[in-house]
Every structure is written in structure tokens, then in C-alpha cells.
Amino acid sequence: MKVFLIGSNGQVGKHIVKFLQESNKHELTAMVRSEEQAEQLKASGVKAAIANLEESVEELAEVMRGSEAVIFSAGSGGHTGPDKTLLVDLDGAVKSMEAAEKAGINRYIMVSAYKAYDRESWKDSPIKPYMVAKHYADRMLVASDLNYTILGPGLLLNEPGTGKIAVGEEIQKTSIPREDVARTVVAALDEEKTYRKTLEIMSGHTPVEDALKRL
Amino acid sequence: MKVFLIGSNGQVGKHIVKFLQESNKHELTAMVRSEEQAEQLKASGVKAAIANLEESVEELAEVMRGSEAVIFSAGSGGHTGPDKTLLVDLDGAVKSMEAAEKAGINRYIMVSAYKAYDRESWKDSPIKPYMVAKHYADRMLVASDLNYTILGPGLLLNEPGTGKIAVGEEIQKTSIPREDVARTVVAALDEEKTYRKTLEIMSGHTPVEDALKRL
């Protein structure tokens, strides 16, 4: 699958780059904002496209054309200013969905936040504005014609992944290494059991590929 | 018509209160955040309901029940912090739409911003995050089952209204007194020509009621 990755410099994104490079099923194009970042990626054998989420839908569609799937793993994680939250996590995300549709790409994987769809679960959250942005980005995705998978991880950890997760529609919030989120994103790309679903993911006891197949 | 007004203390909202009080077609309930604001309104003969946009959809539906139309005229105007923009202009607005549906209210009038639907028109705006919030609130409204009217005024002025406007789907941006925006909102309530439309409004040469009837 030809995969277009948005957010390749992020903490989850870097692991996604690694897993896609290792994969012999997929071919990666990583979107980056600067020539410098593009050069760094090219040096490690990754194809890069220079663009940013504040460009127009048309410009984004142009760089995406030829890809078969989009992964959205960009974002502030709630700790940049709320201005950026509106421009990147919400409008940037939705523009990338519209760009995917315009470029004839059907598959779209969103790295979202735990239960972003459920206002009651984050009504007292310290990062509530960020959750609002993720909530509406996800709603726009569900309402689109794209074949989506929305992944809502628990507390993100930097420790090495175990390759084992719990995944489903009603998983209690614990935590998960970023590396395992990335592994799940890549495994979900062509796993039909994940199509048009919103799923929570946590550390668990089942190897990623098996966990997805059992959905 | 029994009208539920959100944003009655705003600069446009205060004029809406006045026009609804003068009207013998409509009956107003104004949503306010504090007991003190409620007392002030009651003293001038206006029925008030205490609630705020950070409450749940269920709580908002409860205070709206029995009304036949909702007017949304709340908002930061782009000059409060972007946190509030996400919580009020976007999530607050959409919760009020969901609450209206839950309460069996079909008519909904949104005081929006000039061409909020058209990203290209505000891509370099100094209040771009605010425009993003209005953009998605409006999109959620258009996608809802509500019988909406979205009004996008030009530059808002505090001078007295003239009672004359230009209204339509492709009106060039000039300016309009807040009082004339309010007059248009109230006249649109039961004007079928405005149903399920997104309209720009500016100062013009045609009395408000006539301008709406000619749509």
C-alpha cells in the first residue's frame, strides 16, 4: 500500500516511519514542513513531501496524489497553544480528509485521543480544548465517505513497546507505549476488521496483528 | 413563536432582546449564566433561564424544552482566548444544536461570521482560530436535521441601525450596525425564504422584512 504519513516528526510518527520502512507490504511518503526535515528523511531512505497543514485542501491533495492511504498522526497533544489546536488538530486534520477524498484516496487512519467521541469522559479534563478539537475532527471523519479507522490510545508512554495490546470499543483507560500505538496503526492499514471503526487501544496481552483480526 | 435566546448579554444579543420584547408575535426566554443577570432581565419583563454552554446537552435541552426556536448569538467575536473559542463558539454552539433536537425544537438561527463556510476568505485573517470554530459549528448545523438560518454579517458597527439591509448568498463585505443584525435575526424567525440557508447581511437599501421576502 502506498501510505502518506502526516506527523512523521511526532513521537508516535517516528515509530510509524520505522515500522513502515521495515514493512515489505507498504511504501511510505512522509509529509514534512521543511527542506531540512526532508533531507534528513531522504538520508535514511524515506521519501518525503514538503507541505504543511495550514495550506489549502488543493495543495494538500496535490502532494497526496498517488497514495492509497493517509495516516494522521500530527498534533499538539494538548500542550501547544489552543490557536494551534484549532488550526492543526481540527482544521488541519479535516483539510487532510478533504484532500484525501480529492486525491481519490479512500483509506484514512486517525491517531485520536481516548474516547474523544464521548464529551462526558473529558468534560473536566485539563486539556479539554484539545479534546474538543479531536472530537470534531473525528466526527467529520466518521461523516465523510472515507474508509476510516480512529484509534484512541490511553496514556502515552515513551518506554519500548511490547507488541501486545488490548483493542476494542469499550476498553478501560490505562496506558500504552507510543511504539505500540505506531505498530497498531501500521497493522491496521489493510486489516478489514478495523474498517470504519472507532477503537480504543491499550497495552494488553495479545500480539497486535491477532488483536486486530479478532475484532 | 416561543424563542430561546443564547447570548442575550452580547452586543447583538441585547438588541435581539429588545426586538423580541417589542414583537407581539414572539415570546422570549433568554439564557443567562448568573442569578444576577436573570434578575436584571426579569426586572425589565424578560423571562430568563439560568444555564451555560459548558453544561451537558441534556442540561441544555432541559432549559430549552417548550421553546420553538433557538437563536445562537453568543460568542467571543474572536477576541477572547482561543480556549473559550473552542469551548463556546464551537462545542457550546454544537451542544445547543443537539439540545434543540433533543428538546424537539426544529428552528435554529445562528449569528455566524462573514463567509465562515469559505476557508479561502479567512485564511490570512487575524482571527483565523475564531473563524475555524465558526466554520465547523456552521458545518455541523448544516449537516443537522434542524431548520437553520446562518447569518454572516459584515464588519459589526455600534451605530444605530437604519432598518435597511442587503442580504443574499454572494454579498460583498462592507459593514452593518449590530442593531440591524438583530432586526434581521428576529425577522428571519418565521420567514420561510430564509429556511435552510446561509446568508450574508450588510447595510443596504431595502427594509429588512422586504429584503428577506425577496430571497
Side-chain angles (χ1 to χ4, degrees):
Chain A
M1 222 172 191
K2 290 180 178 171
V3 179
F4 190 88
L5 173 62
I6 300 171
S8 53
N9 269 292
Q11 293 189 80
V12 173
K14 284 179 178 173
H15 291 290
I16 297 175
V17 168
K18 177 188 66 187
F19 287 122
L20 283 170
Q21 274 192 289
E22 288 171 15
S23 155
N24 42 30
K25 286 201 292 188
H26 305 298
E27 195 183 308
L28 168 64
T29 301
M31 184 173 116
V32 291
R33 271 174 293 189
S34 70
E35 189 69 59
E36 193 191 336
Q37 290 171 318
E39 291 305 327
Q40 278 170 5
L41 282 170
K42 279 176 199 164
S44 54
V46 177
K47 198 172 148 193
I50 298 171
N52 77 73
L53 290 170
E54 300 202 28
E55 290 174 20
S56 71
V57 171
E58 288 67 27
E59 287 165 315
L60 292 172
E62 200 48 56
V63 293
M64 283 181 189
R65 218 172 294 276
S67 299
E68 294 159 301
V70 171
I71 297 171
F72 189 93
S73 176
S76 61
H79 299 294
T80 57
D83 264 51
K84 284 291 169 199
T85 296
L86 275 155
L87 299 180
V88 174
D89 300 293
L90 176 55
D91 199 37
V94 178
K95 285 193 291 188
S96 78
M97 297 166 200
E98 294 171 14
E101 288 186 329
K102 206 177 253 294
I105 301 167
N106 184 242
R107 183 77 175 123
Y108 191 105
I109 299 189
M110 170 62 83
V111 179
S112 185
Y114 183 72
K115 291 208 174 174
Y117 61 86
D118 176 17
R119 282 193 193 103
E120 286 305 300
S121 75
W122 40 264
K123 67 178 177 184
D124 301 317
S125 166
I127 56 165
K128 188 170 174 184
Y130 171 72
M131 294 305 295
V132 169
K134 297 301 280 180
H135 178 79
Y136 288 96
D138 288 0
R139 281 174 74 163
M140 298 302 291
L141 180 53
V142 170
S144 77
D145 290 328
L146 293 164
N147 174 12
Y148 67 86
T149 300
I150 296 170
L151 296 173
L155 183 68
L156 293 166
L157 307 175
N158 278 329
E159 58 192 50
T162 63
K164 294 181 179 175
I165 60 166
V167 59
E169 289 174 11
E170 279 299 334
I171 304 287
Q172 222 198 316
K173 185 171 182 177
T174 55
S175 61
I176 181 168
R178 288 183 166 86
E179 189 176 12
D180 284 333
V181 175
R183 194 189 292 268
T184 307
V185 166
V186 173
L189 275 166
D190 56 0
E191 175 48 65
E192 293 186 18
K193 294 290 184 63
T194 69
Y195 289 1
R196 299 199 74 80
K197 282 194 186 137
T198 299
L199 301 166
E200 279 102 67
I201 50 171
M202 302 297 153
S203 282
H205 303 290
T206 315
V208 167
E209 287 74 11
D210 295 345
L212 296 183
K213 266 192 225 318
R214 287 184 206 163
L215 279 168
Chain B
M1 222 171 193
K2 290 180 180 171
V3 179
F4 189 88
L5 173 62
I6 300 171
S8 53
N9 269 293
Q11 293 189 80
V12 173
K14 284 179 177 172
H15 290 291
I16 297 175
V17 169
K18 177 188 66 187
F19 287 123
L20 282 171
Q21 275 191 287
E22 287 170 16
S23 155
N24 42 30
K25 285 201 292 187
H26 305 298
E27 195 182 307
L28 169 64
T29 301
M31 184 174 115
V32 291
R33 269 174 294 188
S34 69
E35 190 69 57
E36 191 191 336
Q37 289 171 320
E39 290 305 326
Q40 278 170 7
L41 281 170
K42 280 176 198 165
S44 55
V46 177
K47 197 172 148 193
I50 299 172
N52 77 72
L53 290 171
E54 301 201 28
E55 289 175 20
S56 71
V57 170
E58 288 66 26
E59 287 165 315
L60 292 171
E62 201 48 55
V63 293
M64 284 182 187
R65 217 172 295 276
S67 298
E68 295 160 302
V70 172
I71 297 171
F72 189 93
S73 179
S76 61
H79 299 295
T80 55
D83 264 51
K84 284 289 167 200
T85 297
L86 275 155
L87 298 181
V88 174
D89 300 294
L90 176 54
D91 198 36
V94 178
K95 284 193 291 188
S96 77
M97 297 166 199
E98 294 171 14
E101 289 185 329
K102 205 176 254 295
I105 301 167
N106 185 243
R107 183 76 174 123
Y108 191 105
I109 299 189
M110 170 61 84
V111 180
S112 184
Y114 183 73
K115 292 206 175 176
Y117 61 87
D118 176 19
R119 281 193 194 102
E120 286 305 299
S121 75
W122 41 262
K123 65 178 178 185
D124 300 318
S125 166
I127 55 166
K128 187 171 176 184
Y130 172 72
M131 295 304 295
V132 169
K134 297 300 280 179
H135 177 79
Y136 288 96
D138 289 0
R139 281 174 75 164
M140 298 303 290
L141 180 54
V142 170
S144 78
D145 290 328
L146 294 163
N147 175 11
Y148 68 85
T149 301
I150 296 170
L151 296 172
L155 183 67
L156 293 166
L157 307 175
N158 278 329
E159 59 192 47
T162 63
K164 294 181 178 175
I165 59 166
V167 58
E169 289 175 11
E170 278 299 332
I171 304 288
Q172 222 198 317
K173 184 170 183 178
T174 55
S175 62
I176 181 168
R178 289 183 166 86
E179 189 176 12
D180 284 334
V181 175
R183 194 189 292 269
T184 307
V185 166
V186 173
L189 275 167
D190 56 0
E191 175 48 66
E192 293 186 17
K193 294 290 183 65
T194 69
Y195 289 1
R196 299 199 74 81
K197 281 191 189 142
T198 299
L199 301 165
E200 279 101 67
I201 50 170
M202 302 295 154
S203 282
H205 303 291
T206 314
V208 166
E209 287 75 10
D210 294 346
L212 296 184
K213 268 192 222 320
R214 287 183 205 161
L215 280 167

